[in-house]
Amino acid sequence: MDSLRLLSRSARPTNHGTKSAKQSTPSNGQHAQPQLFPAVSPSRDGQAAASKKRKRSHKAPTTADAHTPEPGLFGVRANLESLAIAHAPAVEDVAGSKTDGKRMPDDLSSDEVRALLKQHKLKITWLNAGALQKKRKGKGESKAKMEKPQLYPQPLRSFHELADRHALASRIAINIRDHGYNTPTEVQMVALPLLMGRPDSYLPAATDADAQQTLIAGGADLLSVAPTGSGKTLAFMIPLISKIVQEKSEDEKTAPVTSAIVLAPTKELTSQIVNEGRKLANGTRIRITQLRKGMRLPFAETDLASGDTEQPAVKADIIVSTPGLLYSMLDDEENAKKTSLHGVRYLVLDEADVLLDPLFRDQTLRVWNRLSDPGLRVSLWSATMGSNIEELARSAIQARRQRLSAQHGDVPEAPLIRLVVGLKDSVVPNIEHRLVYAATEQGKLMGLRQLLHPAAASKDVGAPLLPPFLVFTQTIERAVALHSELLYDIPAEAGGIGRIAVLHSDLTDIARDNVMTRFRKGEIWILITTDLLSRGVDFRGVNGVVNYDIPTSSAAYVHRVGRTGRAGREGGVAVTLYSKEDIPYLKHVANVVAMAQKHNGTSDGGGMQQWLLDALPTLSKPDKLKLKKRGIESRTSRGKEADPKSARRARISSKSGFDRKLENNRQGAILGSKRRKQAEDASEAEGDSEFEGFD
Ligand SMILES: Nc1ncnc2c1ncn2[C@@H]1O[C@H](COP(=O)(O)OP(=O)(O)OP(=O)(O)O)[C@@H](O)[C@H]1O
């Protein structure tokens, strides 16, 4: 077995061999606990307090209890009607008042819910709580408290509850189980019931009856900020598939051709989302398609009859696309008129902060505005989301509602809920961070080689990284240069140049797919890339990330290093090599690392000491923006023209490259001649045996 066949994307650990072939790569280790903030046993005081308030006979929600799978439940779709919906005596609402709420028999009490949400670092805020605000103003509450009330919904403690409480089709439940998903991650604990259930059950009792009615019918919009690798794809895909299955089963004929659109910034990510979605939708007749060039969007029935649709159209319930591609198809006026995307009721923006960043903003908003269903629900997902992005999303929702209200009469406002898991815009807690000063470009190259070679452990860069790992550069040109520099570093006996590859957006789609597949299969050990792969892409078992060029914003750092340590796996390492030239731009990375170390209680490791943090210069806001937009100037082609001397210093090359190439050729020739000799010997030994077909 190839011991590096670790990257195929699935939660189910595939058993590729015997016990003796156990993986030694750390970040591929067991991830029985995909939650990042598993609940700890409550303190004695806490326990006492909880038990005093406990009114029912079942135990307090420790994680072990909360997530113990109950065998047998999955295969059966529970009949919601048959479940007695108890009217519990009283539920404390967000404002602290008492209300008669509808409760399920095994609901947690309000104190238990609060404790569980707190343990898992889940914070849920109702961002447009206008109706509630008005009521509270009357009661004379402070403005700050009125603006954005916190919500304390019943969290999902096990995937079984989806069938029991949210009418999840049994087929999807089986798919979830078959792919090894047992315990919901934090983001799934809240997002799944919110998106699949009745949003009114989330809202404080003070919300007026009309608003409740609107919410029951319409669902909620969601902004979800959860760490990298925390299972956001499942959190939006399960509700989409479930809702479409329900709608189709109610009335297949009136169901639209396409019900949902998922936008993501790269082809790699759209393809991954499609694969993940298809696993969940297996056997449900829900079609999920990655939009590609040359495809045509579905036309409305009326236009299909007009005979002008020779080209077959995409027939997909869920279309997954980059915003640019979808927009370019919609941009064709003729197409746009006929295209039947008016039936789309769900829009998902994965990596929403990038999609609403100036690079993609225009295309994303145009696609969003082309979706004309007044009941369109939108959800935005990312590990990082600045307040400007939140504001932008809010105003886009608001502007669209006003526009549609003018056309169709009053379009009701859906609740906009923000879910934050852990500390906003921070790295996952299970990664080791190393910041390594390499002085010059040559030093960085040397540092990378030390990380690459098992025998080259160095005090400066730390222990070598276990492949597979990713190396990020600032530009395509630098990724290509670094690739050719390192090409011969892996000896022929270990697979040679085939073990190292480069992936960037200048490659053809086929070449990109090919590299992704080979990296997932474990054939490629070291993948050099640009920020193209920094977002969303999930390679199971990546052991390390090397920032050969420092990331140009703290969000970029969070996402790049988030390619390791996914789904709670331990052992991932993130190394950032920096030269003298990087020092003015290092603070945003150093801050993220310092914060991670503070939370992990490891403030003395990783080279991030307080004095270093204090000594680093702080960039002005315009400089920050410039850095984010253009990167470090001397590493770009613009910089080459402006300052050739600095650009020469920043070049990735070493004199020994040529020599090593010659040496590699020589070694290849020797190896080839050995193999030929062995083949000749073998064929002589076989004698005149008959041709038995190609192997
Ligand atoms: N409940 C779960 N139990 C175990 N593994 C899970 C669970 N949910 C998701 N995973 C696995 O976690 C990994 C990361 O999931 P996913 O790619 O959805 O993360 P993400 O939150 O979208 O990350 P990013 O912010 O980097 O895009 C995947 O391999 C997925 O199969």
Side-chain angles (χ1 to χ4, degrees), residues 9-11 31 34 159 180-185 188 226-234 272 276 351 383 536 538 559 562-563 566-567:
R9 188 191 151 92
S10 163
H31 59 114
F159 283 117
Y181 301 119
N182 297 317
T183 311
T185 62
Q188 294 160 3
T228 51
S230 63
K232 293 187 283 296
T233 315
L234 239 67
Q272 179 182 292
E276 195 71 0
E351 306 300 339
D538 182 56
H559 287 275
R563 298 315 100 204
R566 298 179 72 74

PDB file of all heavy atoms in Angstrom, residues 9-11 31 34 159 180-185 188 226-234 272 276 351 383 536 538 559 562-563 566-567, ligand 1:
ATOM      1  N   ARG A   9     -10.992  12.435  -0.075  1.00  0.00           N
ATOM      2  CA  ARG A   9     -11.854  13.202   0.804  1.00  0.00           C
ATOM      3  C   ARG A   9     -13.022  12.355   1.256  1.00  0.00           C
ATOM      4  O   ARG A   9     -13.931  12.056   0.527  1.00  0.00           O
ATOM      5  CB  ARG A   9     -12.364  14.411   0.021  1.00  0.00           C
ATOM      6  CG  ARG A   9     -13.111  15.376   0.855  1.00  0.00           C
ATOM      7  CD  ARG A   9     -13.778  16.346  -0.051  1.00  0.00           C
ATOM      8  NE  ARG A   9     -14.982  16.807   0.606  1.00  0.00           N
ATOM      9  CZ  ARG A   9     -15.028  17.875   1.361  1.00  0.00           C
ATOM     10  NH1 ARG A   9     -13.968  18.590   1.563  1.00  0.00           N
ATOM     11  NH2 ARG A   9     -16.148  18.233   1.933  1.00  0.00           N
ATOM     12  N   SER A  10     -12.986  11.926   2.478  1.00  0.00           N
ATOM     13  CA  SER A  10     -14.104  11.197   3.053  1.00  0.00           C
ATOM     14  C   SER A  10     -13.896  11.142   4.540  1.00  0.00           C
ATOM     15  O   SER A  10     -12.783  11.105   5.025  1.00  0.00           O
ATOM     16  CB  SER A  10     -14.135   9.789   2.481  1.00  0.00           C
ATOM     17  OG  SER A  10     -14.940   8.984   3.295  1.00  0.00           O
ATOM     18  N   ALA A  11     -14.972  11.162   5.265  1.00  0.00           N
ATOM     19  CA  ALA A  11     -14.809  11.063   6.708  1.00  0.00           C
ATOM     20  C   ALA A  11     -14.576   9.625   7.093  1.00  0.00           C
ATOM     21  O   ALA A  11     -14.051   9.323   8.131  1.00  0.00           O
ATOM     22  CB  ALA A  11     -16.056  11.564   7.403  1.00  0.00           C
ATOM     23  N   HIS A  31      -9.943  10.648  14.031  1.00  0.00           N
ATOM     24  CA  HIS A  31     -10.632  11.883  14.354  1.00  0.00           C
ATOM     25  C   HIS A  31     -12.009  11.536  14.871  1.00  0.00           C
ATOM     26  O   HIS A  31     -13.031  11.927  14.355  1.00  0.00           O
ATOM     27  CB  HIS A  31     -10.668  12.846  13.170  1.00  0.00           C
ATOM     28  CG  HIS A  31     -11.336  12.266  11.979  1.00  0.00           C
ATOM     29  ND1 HIS A  31     -12.523  12.758  11.492  1.00  0.00           N
ATOM     30  CD2 HIS A  31     -10.994  11.233  11.207  1.00  0.00           C
ATOM     31  CE1 HIS A  31     -12.866  12.027  10.437  1.00  0.00           C
ATOM     32  NE2 HIS A  31     -11.971  11.114  10.251  1.00  0.00           N
ATOM     33  N   PRO A  34     -14.570  15.063  15.945  1.00  0.00           N
ATOM     34  CA  PRO A  34     -14.392  16.127  14.955  1.00  0.00           C
ATOM     35  C   PRO A  34     -14.699  17.507  15.515  1.00  0.00           C
ATOM     36  O   PRO A  34     -14.489  18.498  14.848  1.00  0.00           O
ATOM     37  CB  PRO A  34     -15.393  15.751  13.860  1.00  0.00           C
ATOM     38  CG  PRO A  34     -16.444  14.959  14.544  1.00  0.00           C
ATOM     39  CD  PRO A  34     -15.808  14.292  15.719  1.00  0.00           C
ATOM     40  N   PHE A 159     -26.716  13.101  14.754  1.00  0.00           N
ATOM     41  CA  PHE A 159     -27.357  13.153  13.430  1.00  0.00           C
ATOM     42  C   PHE A 159     -28.708  12.443  13.424  1.00  0.00           C
ATOM     43  O   PHE A 159     -29.544  12.696  12.567  1.00  0.00           O
ATOM     44  CB  PHE A 159     -26.433  12.554  12.363  1.00  0.00           C
ATOM     45  CG  PHE A 159     -25.324  13.477  11.954  1.00  0.00           C
ATOM     46  CD1 PHE A 159     -23.993  13.144  12.179  1.00  0.00           C
ATOM     47  CD2 PHE A 159     -25.596  14.680  11.341  1.00  0.00           C
ATOM     48  CE1 PHE A 159     -22.970  13.996  11.809  1.00  0.00           C
ATOM     49  CE2 PHE A 159     -24.578  15.550  10.950  1.00  0.00           C
ATOM     50  CZ  PHE A 159     -23.261  15.199  11.195  1.00  0.00           C
ATOM     51  N   GLY A 180     -19.589   7.779   7.520  1.00  0.00           N
ATOM     52  CA  GLY A 180     -18.853   7.818   8.794  1.00  0.00           C
ATOM     53  C   GLY A 180     -19.079   9.071   9.610  1.00  0.00           C
ATOM     54  O   GLY A 180     -18.306   9.355  10.522  1.00  0.00           O
ATOM     55  N   TYR A 181     -20.118   9.829   9.304  1.00  0.00           N
ATOM     56  CA  TYR A 181     -20.375  11.025  10.101  1.00  0.00           C
ATOM     57  C   TYR A 181     -21.272  10.643  11.281  1.00  0.00           C
ATOM     58  O   TYR A 181     -22.444  10.302  11.085  1.00  0.00           O
ATOM     59  CB  TYR A 181     -21.073  12.099   9.254  1.00  0.00           C
ATOM     60  CG  TYR A 181     -20.280  12.535   8.045  1.00  0.00           C
ATOM     61  CD1 TYR A 181     -20.777  12.376   6.762  1.00  0.00           C
ATOM     62  CD2 TYR A 181     -19.009  13.092   8.192  1.00  0.00           C
ATOM     63  CE1 TYR A 181     -20.047  12.771   5.650  1.00  0.00           C
ATOM     64  CE2 TYR A 181     -18.278  13.488   7.090  1.00  0.00           C
ATOM     65  CZ  TYR A 181     -18.799  13.326   5.823  1.00  0.00           C
ATOM     66  OH  TYR A 181     -18.065  13.712   4.725  1.00  0.00           O
ATOM     67  N   ASN A 182     -20.714  10.679  12.455  1.00  0.00           N
ATOM     68  CA  ASN A 182     -21.485  10.282  13.636  1.00  0.00           C
ATOM     69  C   ASN A 182     -21.839  11.458  14.520  1.00  0.00           C
ATOM     70  O   ASN A 182     -22.959  11.606  14.964  1.00  0.00           O
ATOM     71  CB  ASN A 182     -20.683   9.265  14.463  1.00  0.00           C
ATOM     72  CG  ASN A 182     -20.450   8.002  13.675  1.00  0.00           C
ATOM     73  OD1 ASN A 182     -21.364   7.515  13.022  1.00  0.00           O
ATOM     74  ND2 ASN A 182     -19.233   7.500  13.683  1.00  0.00           N
ATOM     75  N   THR A 183     -20.811  12.267  14.785  1.00  0.00           N
ATOM     76  CA  THR A 183     -21.016  13.372  15.721  1.00  0.00           C
ATOM     77  C   THR A 183     -21.068  14.680  14.948  1.00  0.00           C
ATOM     78  O   THR A 183     -20.142  14.986  14.203  1.00  0.00           O
ATOM     79  CB  THR A 183     -19.808  13.445  16.683  1.00  0.00           C
ATOM     80  OG1 THR A 183     -19.570  12.134  17.187  1.00  0.00           O
ATOM     81  CG2 THR A 183     -20.049  14.416  17.806  1.00  0.00           C
ATOM     82  N   PRO A 184     -22.093  15.473  15.109  1.00  0.00           N
ATOM     83  CA  PRO A 184     -22.100  16.764  14.394  1.00  0.00           C
ATOM     84  C   PRO A 184     -20.999  17.684  14.933  1.00  0.00           C
ATOM     85  O   PRO A 184     -20.741  17.695  16.136  1.00  0.00           O
ATOM     86  CB  PRO A 184     -23.480  17.350  14.712  1.00  0.00           C
ATOM     87  CG  PRO A 184     -24.231  16.319  15.460  1.00  0.00           C
ATOM     88  CD  PRO A 184     -23.293  15.279  15.933  1.00  0.00           C
ATOM     89  N   THR A 185     -20.383  18.408  14.037  1.00  0.00           N
ATOM     90  CA  THR A 185     -19.401  19.396  14.482  1.00  0.00           C
ATOM     91  C   THR A 185     -20.180  20.612  14.998  1.00  0.00           C
ATOM     92  O   THR A 185     -21.399  20.700  14.811  1.00  0.00           O
ATOM     93  CB  THR A 185     -18.496  19.824  13.317  1.00  0.00           C
ATOM     94  OG1 THR A 185     -19.327  20.428  12.329  1.00  0.00           O
ATOM     95  CG2 THR A 185     -17.757  18.660  12.719  1.00  0.00           C
ATOM     96  N   GLN A 188     -22.372  22.415  12.591  1.00  0.00           N
ATOM     97  CA  GLN A 188     -23.518  21.576  12.217  1.00  0.00           C
ATOM     98  C   GLN A 188     -24.558  21.525  13.340  1.00  0.00           C
ATOM     99  O   GLN A 188     -25.754  21.427  13.081  1.00  0.00           O
ATOM    100  CB  GLN A 188     -23.034  20.168  11.864  1.00  0.00           C
ATOM    101  CG  GLN A 188     -22.161  20.142  10.612  1.00  0.00           C
ATOM    102  CD  GLN A 188     -21.287  18.902  10.483  1.00  0.00           C
ATOM    103  OE1 GLN A 188     -21.347  17.983  11.302  1.00  0.00           O
ATOM    104  NE2 GLN A 188     -20.453  18.880   9.462  1.00  0.00           N
ATOM    105  N   ALA A 226     -17.258  29.820  10.871  1.00  0.00           N
ATOM    106  CA  ALA A 226     -16.779  28.659  11.635  1.00  0.00           C
ATOM    107  C   ALA A 226     -15.393  28.287  11.131  1.00  0.00           C
ATOM    108  O   ALA A 226     -15.093  28.464   9.943  1.00  0.00           O
ATOM    109  CB  ALA A 226     -17.738  27.496  11.450  1.00  0.00           C
ATOM    110  N   PRO A 227     -14.545  27.744  12.018  1.00  0.00           N
ATOM    111  CA  PRO A 227     -13.153  27.513  11.630  1.00  0.00           C
ATOM    112  C   PRO A 227     -12.984  26.627  10.392  1.00  0.00           C
ATOM    113  O   PRO A 227     -13.901  25.900  10.004  1.00  0.00           O
ATOM    114  CB  PRO A 227     -12.572  26.800  12.862  1.00  0.00           C
ATOM    115  CG  PRO A 227     -13.448  27.182  13.983  1.00  0.00           C
ATOM    116  CD  PRO A 227     -14.811  27.383  13.410  1.00  0.00           C
ATOM    117  N   THR A 228     -11.793  26.692   9.830  1.00  0.00           N
ATOM    118  CA  THR A 228     -11.471  25.867   8.665  1.00  0.00           C
ATOM    119  C   THR A 228     -11.594  24.390   9.061  1.00  0.00           C
ATOM    120  O   THR A 228     -11.283  24.013  10.189  1.00  0.00           O
ATOM    121  CB  THR A 228     -10.023  26.132   8.207  1.00  0.00           C
ATOM    122  OG1 THR A 228      -9.161  26.011   9.347  1.00  0.00           O
ATOM    123  CG2 THR A 228      -9.877  27.506   7.615  1.00  0.00           C
ATOM    124  N   GLY A 229     -12.074  23.607   8.133  1.00  0.00           N
ATOM    125  CA  GLY A 229     -12.163  22.155   8.358  1.00  0.00           C
ATOM    126  C   GLY A 229     -13.193  21.755   9.384  1.00  0.00           C
ATOM    127  O   GLY A 229     -13.132  20.657   9.924  1.00  0.00           O
ATOM    128  N   SER A 230     -14.166  22.640   9.667  1.00  0.00           N
ATOM    129  CA  SER A 230     -15.123  22.305  10.720  1.00  0.00           C
ATOM    130  C   SER A 230     -16.441  21.765  10.160  1.00  0.00           C
ATOM    131  O   SER A 230     -17.428  21.664  10.881  1.00  0.00           O
ATOM    132  CB  SER A 230     -15.378  23.530  11.595  1.00  0.00           C
ATOM    133  OG  SER A 230     -15.972  24.551  10.823  1.00  0.00           O
ATOM    134  N   GLY A 231     -16.460  21.434   8.872  1.00  0.00           N
ATOM    135  CA  GLY A 231     -17.642  20.752   8.329  1.00  0.00           C
ATOM    136  C   GLY A 231     -18.746  21.666   7.847  1.00  0.00           C
ATOM    137  O   GLY A 231     -19.922  21.322   7.908  1.00  0.00           O
ATOM    138  N   LYS A 232     -18.360  22.812   7.281  1.00  0.00           N
ATOM    139  CA  LYS A 232     -19.390  23.738   6.796  1.00  0.00           C
ATOM    140  C   LYS A 232     -20.104  23.172   5.548  1.00  0.00           C
ATOM    141  O   LYS A 232     -21.276  23.420   5.352  1.00  0.00           O
ATOM    142  CB  LYS A 232     -18.766  25.108   6.485  1.00  0.00           C
ATOM    143  CG  LYS A 232     -18.265  25.819   7.748  1.00  0.00           C
ATOM    144  CD  LYS A 232     -17.812  27.224   7.489  1.00  0.00           C
ATOM    145  CE  LYS A 232     -16.455  27.316   6.849  1.00  0.00           C
ATOM    146  NZ  LYS A 232     -15.336  26.797   7.664  1.00  0.00           N
ATOM    147  N   THR A 233     -19.361  22.406   4.742  1.00  0.00           N
ATOM    148  CA  THR A 233     -19.981  21.877   3.515  1.00  0.00           C
ATOM    149  C   THR A 233     -21.208  21.027   3.857  1.00  0.00           C
ATOM    150  O   THR A 233     -22.271  21.184   3.257  1.00  0.00           O
ATOM    151  CB  THR A 233     -18.954  21.025   2.725  1.00  0.00           C
ATOM    152  OG1 THR A 233     -17.723  21.730   2.692  1.00  0.00           O
ATOM    153  CG2 THR A 233     -19.422  20.736   1.327  1.00  0.00           C
ATOM    154  N   LEU A 234     -21.045  20.143   4.822  1.00  0.00           N
ATOM    155  CA  LEU A 234     -22.181  19.314   5.244  1.00  0.00           C
ATOM    156  C   LEU A 234     -23.291  20.184   5.813  1.00  0.00           C
ATOM    157  O   LEU A 234     -24.469  19.913   5.610  1.00  0.00           O
ATOM    158  CB  LEU A 234     -21.703  18.354   6.346  1.00  0.00           C
ATOM    159  CG  LEU A 234     -21.850  16.872   6.081  1.00  0.00           C
ATOM    160  CD1 LEU A 234     -20.921  16.484   4.955  1.00  0.00           C
ATOM    161  CD2 LEU A 234     -21.510  16.064   7.321  1.00  0.00           C
ATOM    162  N   GLN A 272     -15.209  19.859  -5.525  1.00  0.00           N
ATOM    163  CA  GLN A 272     -15.233  19.169  -4.227  1.00  0.00           C
ATOM    164  C   GLN A 272     -16.641  19.222  -3.603  1.00  0.00           C
ATOM    165  O   GLN A 272     -17.132  18.234  -3.060  1.00  0.00           O
ATOM    166  CB  GLN A 272     -14.224  19.851  -3.310  1.00  0.00           C
ATOM    167  CG  GLN A 272     -14.156  19.265  -1.923  1.00  0.00           C
ATOM    168  CD  GLN A 272     -13.160  20.033  -1.088  1.00  0.00           C
ATOM    169  OE1 GLN A 272     -11.971  19.971  -1.347  1.00  0.00           O
ATOM    170  NE2 GLN A 272     -13.630  20.771  -0.109  1.00  0.00           N
ATOM    171  N   GLU A 276     -18.985  16.025  -2.601  1.00  0.00           N
ATOM    172  CA  GLU A 276     -19.505  15.850  -1.242  1.00  0.00           C
ATOM    173  C   GLU A 276     -21.040  15.773  -1.291  1.00  0.00           C
ATOM    174  O   GLU A 276     -21.652  14.929  -0.642  1.00  0.00           O
ATOM    175  CB  GLU A 276     -19.044  17.034  -0.380  1.00  0.00           C
ATOM    176  CG  GLU A 276     -19.179  16.831   1.112  1.00  0.00           C
ATOM    177  CD  GLU A 276     -18.184  15.820   1.672  1.00  0.00           C
ATOM    178  OE1 GLU A 276     -17.367  15.242   0.912  1.00  0.00           O
ATOM    179  OE2 GLU A 276     -18.250  15.588   2.861  1.00  0.00           O
ATOM    180  N   GLU A 351     -17.205  30.422   1.158  1.00  0.00           N
ATOM    181  CA  GLU A 351     -16.096  31.388   1.186  1.00  0.00           C
ATOM    182  C   GLU A 351     -16.668  32.774   0.847  1.00  0.00           C
ATOM    183  O   GLU A 351     -16.173  33.487  -0.032  1.00  0.00           O
ATOM    184  CB  GLU A 351     -14.977  31.005   0.205  1.00  0.00           C
ATOM    185  CG  GLU A 351     -14.422  29.593   0.365  1.00  0.00           C
ATOM    186  CD  GLU A 351     -13.809  29.331   1.738  1.00  0.00           C
ATOM    187  OE1 GLU A 351     -13.449  30.298   2.419  1.00  0.00           O
ATOM    188  OE2 GLU A 351     -13.731  28.160   2.135  1.00  0.00           O
ATOM    189  N   ALA A 383     -14.603  30.860   7.135  1.00  0.00           N
ATOM    190  CA  ALA A 383     -13.893  30.809   8.420  1.00  0.00           C
ATOM    191  C   ALA A 383     -13.533  32.220   8.867  1.00  0.00           C
ATOM    192  O   ALA A 383     -13.146  32.429  10.011  1.00  0.00           O
ATOM    193  CB  ALA A 383     -12.642  29.955   8.284  1.00  0.00           C
ATOM    194  N   GLY A 536     -11.013  26.494   1.260  1.00  0.00           N
ATOM    195  CA  GLY A 536     -12.053  25.472   1.160  1.00  0.00           C
ATOM    196  C   GLY A 536     -11.607  24.072   0.792  1.00  0.00           C
ATOM    197  O   GLY A 536     -12.261  23.107   1.143  1.00  0.00           O
ATOM    198  N   ASP A 538     -10.333  20.532   0.668  1.00  0.00           N
ATOM    199  CA  ASP A 538     -10.173  19.609   1.783  1.00  0.00           C
ATOM    200  C   ASP A 538      -9.371  18.391   1.341  1.00  0.00           C
ATOM    201  O   ASP A 538      -9.862  17.542   0.611  1.00  0.00           O
ATOM    202  CB  ASP A 538     -11.571  19.171   2.245  1.00  0.00           C
ATOM    203  CG  ASP A 538     -11.505  18.236   3.434  1.00  0.00           C
ATOM    204  OD1 ASP A 538     -10.917  18.619   4.452  1.00  0.00           O
ATOM    205  OD2 ASP A 538     -12.028  17.112   3.327  1.00  0.00           O
ATOM    206  N   HIS A 559      -6.761  30.766   6.366  1.00  0.00           N
ATOM    207  CA  HIS A 559      -7.244  29.790   5.386  1.00  0.00           C
ATOM    208  C   HIS A 559      -6.124  28.880   4.888  1.00  0.00           C
ATOM    209  O   HIS A 559      -6.323  27.684   4.763  1.00  0.00           O
ATOM    210  CB  HIS A 559      -7.908  30.504   4.207  1.00  0.00           C
ATOM    211  CG  HIS A 559      -9.240  31.076   4.588  1.00  0.00           C
ATOM    212  ND1 HIS A 559     -10.397  30.341   4.555  1.00  0.00           N
ATOM    213  CD2 HIS A 559      -9.595  32.297   5.046  1.00  0.00           C
ATOM    214  CE1 HIS A 559     -11.406  31.082   4.963  1.00  0.00           C
ATOM    215  NE2 HIS A 559     -10.943  32.288   5.265  1.00  0.00           N
ATOM    216  N   GLY A 562      -5.236  26.438   7.440  1.00  0.00           N
ATOM    217  CA  GLY A 562      -6.406  25.588   7.693  1.00  0.00           C
ATOM    218  C   GLY A 562      -6.519  24.412   6.739  1.00  0.00           C
ATOM    219  O   GLY A 562      -7.444  23.616   6.831  1.00  0.00           O
ATOM    220  N   ARG A 563      -5.569  24.262   5.803  1.00  0.00           N
ATOM    221  CA  ARG A 563      -5.592  23.059   4.953  1.00  0.00           C
ATOM    222  C   ARG A 563      -5.091  21.850   5.736  1.00  0.00           C
ATOM    223  O   ARG A 563      -5.200  20.726   5.283  1.00  0.00           O
ATOM    224  CB  ARG A 563      -4.725  23.220   3.673  1.00  0.00           C
ATOM    225  CG  ARG A 563      -5.126  24.300   2.689  1.00  0.00           C
ATOM    226  CD  ARG A 563      -6.569  24.343   2.408  1.00  0.00           C
ATOM    227  NE  ARG A 563      -7.219  25.390   3.180  1.00  0.00           N
ATOM    228  CZ  ARG A 563      -8.507  25.394   3.504  1.00  0.00           C
ATOM    229  NH1 ARG A 563      -9.296  24.417   3.130  1.00  0.00           N
ATOM    230  NH2 ARG A 563      -9.030  26.365   4.213  1.00  0.00           N
ATOM    231  N   ARG A 566      -7.601  19.302   9.811  1.00  0.00           N
ATOM    232  CA  ARG A 566      -9.030  19.380   9.502  1.00  0.00           C
ATOM    233  C   ARG A 566      -9.831  18.341  10.268  1.00  0.00           C
ATOM    234  O   ARG A 566      -9.319  17.305  10.640  1.00  0.00           O
ATOM    235  CB  ARG A 566      -9.227  19.239   7.988  1.00  0.00           C
ATOM    236  CG  ARG A 566      -8.537  20.389   7.267  1.00  0.00           C
ATOM    237  CD  ARG A 566      -8.675  20.299   5.792  1.00  0.00           C
ATOM    238  NE  ARG A 566     -10.013  20.583   5.294  1.00  0.00           N
ATOM    239  CZ  ARG A 566     -10.557  21.778   5.234  1.00  0.00           C
ATOM    240  NH1 ARG A 566      -9.882  22.827   5.681  1.00  0.00           N
ATOM    241  NH2 ARG A 566     -11.764  21.948   4.734  1.00  0.00           N
ATOM    242  N   ALA A 567     -11.081  18.661  10.480  1.00  0.00           N
ATOM    243  CA  ALA A 567     -12.014  17.798  11.219  1.00  0.00           C
ATOM    244  C   ALA A 567     -11.419  17.360  12.557  1.00  0.00           C
ATOM    245  O   ALA A 567     -11.557  16.221  12.969  1.00  0.00           O
ATOM    246  CB  ALA A 567     -12.411  16.593  10.367  1.00  0.00           C
TER     247      ALA A 567
HETATM  248  N1  LIG B   1     -19.597  15.535  11.526  1.00  0.00           N
HETATM  249  C1  LIG B   1     -18.435  15.195  11.001  1.00  0.00           C
HETATM  250  N2  LIG B   1     -17.718  14.172  11.489  1.00  0.00           N
HETATM  251  C2  LIG B   1     -16.526  13.835  10.948  1.00  0.00           C
HETATM  252  N3  LIG B   1     -15.966  14.464   9.907  1.00  0.00           N
HETATM  253  C3  LIG B   1     -16.626  15.489   9.369  1.00  0.00           C
HETATM  254  C4  LIG B   1     -17.896  15.913   9.879  1.00  0.00           C
HETATM  255  N4  LIG B   1     -18.307  16.951   9.129  1.00  0.00           N
HETATM  256  C5  LIG B   1     -17.365  17.170   8.201  1.00  0.00           C
HETATM  257  N5  LIG B   1     -16.354  16.291   8.340  1.00  0.00           N
HETATM  258  C6  LIG B   1     -15.135  16.205   7.532  1.00  0.00           C
HETATM  259  O1  LIG B   1     -14.371  17.356   7.847  1.00  0.00           O
HETATM  260  C7  LIG B   1     -13.597  17.749   6.730  1.00  0.00           C
HETATM  261  C8  LIG B   1     -13.705  19.233   6.524  1.00  0.00           C
HETATM  262  O2  LIG B   1     -15.015  19.574   6.137  1.00  0.00           O
HETATM  263  P1  LIG B   1     -15.312  20.833   5.191  1.00  0.00           P
HETATM  264  O3  LIG B   1     -14.473  20.767   3.972  1.00  0.00           O
HETATM  265  O4  LIG B   1     -16.772  20.916   5.029  1.00  0.00           O
HETATM  266  O5  LIG B   1     -14.766  21.989   6.123  1.00  0.00           O
HETATM  267  P2  LIG B   1     -15.021  23.547   6.001  1.00  0.00           P
HETATM  268  O6  LIG B   1     -15.556  23.981   7.292  1.00  0.00           O
HETATM  269  O7  LIG B   1     -15.822  23.848   4.781  1.00  0.00           O
HETATM  270  O8  LIG B   1     -13.540  24.076   5.857  1.00  0.00           O
HETATM  271  P3  LIG B   1     -12.974  25.361   5.058  1.00  0.00           P
HETATM  272  O9  LIG B   1     -13.295  26.562   5.882  1.00  0.00           O
HETATM  273  O10 LIG B   1     -11.534  25.113   4.968  1.00  0.00           O
HETATM  274  O11 LIG B   1     -13.676  25.399   3.744  1.00  0.00           O
HETATM  275  C9  LIG B   1     -14.101  16.926   5.557  1.00  0.00           C
HETATM  276  O12 LIG B   1     -13.145  15.915   5.273  1.00  0.00           O
HETATM  277  C10 LIG B   1     -15.376  16.316   6.042  1.00  0.00           C
HETATM  278  O13 LIG B   1     -15.597  15.055   5.462  1.00  0.00           O
END
